[in-house]
Amino acid sequence: MTEYESMAARQRKWMFYLLAILVLGAGFTPYLTIFLGLLLGSAVSLYNLWLLQKKIVDFTGAVAEKQPVKGIGTMSRFAAAALVVIIALRFDEYFNVIAVLIGLMTSYLVITLDFAVSHFKKK
Amino acid sequence: MGALAAAIAVGLAALGAGVGNGLIVSRTVEGIARQPELKGSLQTTMFIGVGLVEAMPIIAVVIALMVM
């Protein structure tokens, strides 16, 4: 397993742990709309993370083998974020919109923290 | 006016993301073309760069949809 693959697997693992905690929060606390919003945002954030990881592997592989390259999926990620916000605005009695926004940002938090931790572990 | 504000917000965010991603991707392609054996570390750098660049435009898309 390359360094990139192990990093990608580690990030997905942390996202799944976070999703499990959010499911517990939605099930056992009175803040249902907030946790459902966080859950919805984090689920789409996990999809965005997976898509980014996959697209970068495809892109760099195509560049290294001198094959024609495709995009890196920026518009797909924007569209996923827009879709989740439309869902949250449409069903605002179930989802807190600010919580959805915070949930969407969790993968970036995981990427940053994972990079910082692995960088300081190497030193 | 709300739709216009949303369009300007998303458009400027996409412009910023496009410039940022373009800089990152061009340097990565140059690096891999020069030294293909460094593909692994360049992949990691590109991943983190693209991830951080795209965080702000996604917030802009969300806020644009909220104000619309």
Side-chain angles (χ1 to χ4, degrees), chain A residues 59 63, chain B residues 18-33 46:
Chain A
F59 182 85
V63 170
Chain B
V19 172
N21 276 346
L23 287 172
I24 293 168
V25 170
S26 70
R27 298 294 155 85
T28 309
V29 169
E30 264 180 34
I32 293 176
M46 181 180 169

Side-chain angles (χ1 to χ4, degrees), chain A residues 3-4 7 11 48-49 52-53 56-57 59-61 63-64 72 74-75 77-78 81-82 85-86 89 97-98 101 104-105 108 111-112 115, chain B residues 10 13-14 17 21 25 28-29 32-33 36 39-44 46-48 50-52 54-59 61-63 65-66:
Chain A
E3 185 192 343
Y4 178 79
M7 180 195 73
Q11 288 170 351
N48 280 351
L49 180 71
L52 181 61
Q53 290 170 347
I56 282 181
V57 169
F59 182 85
T60 50
V63 170
I72 54 170
T74 304
M75 280 303 137
R77 287 189 290 279
F78 285 2
V85 174
I86 290 169
L89 290 173
V97 181
I98 303 297
L101 176 57
L104 271 174
M105 291 298 113
Y108 302 106
I111 290 171
T112 313
F115 174 68
Chain B
V10 174
N21 276 346
V25 170
T28 309
V29 169
I32 293 176
K39 192 179 94 175
S41 62
L42 288 171
Q43 261 179 344
T44 308
M46 181 180 169
F47 171 74
I48 292 165
V50 171
L52 294 182
E54 282 186 2
M56 273 303 139
I58 284 181
I59 294 177
V61 168
V62 172
I63 291 174
L65 280 169
M66 283 166 70

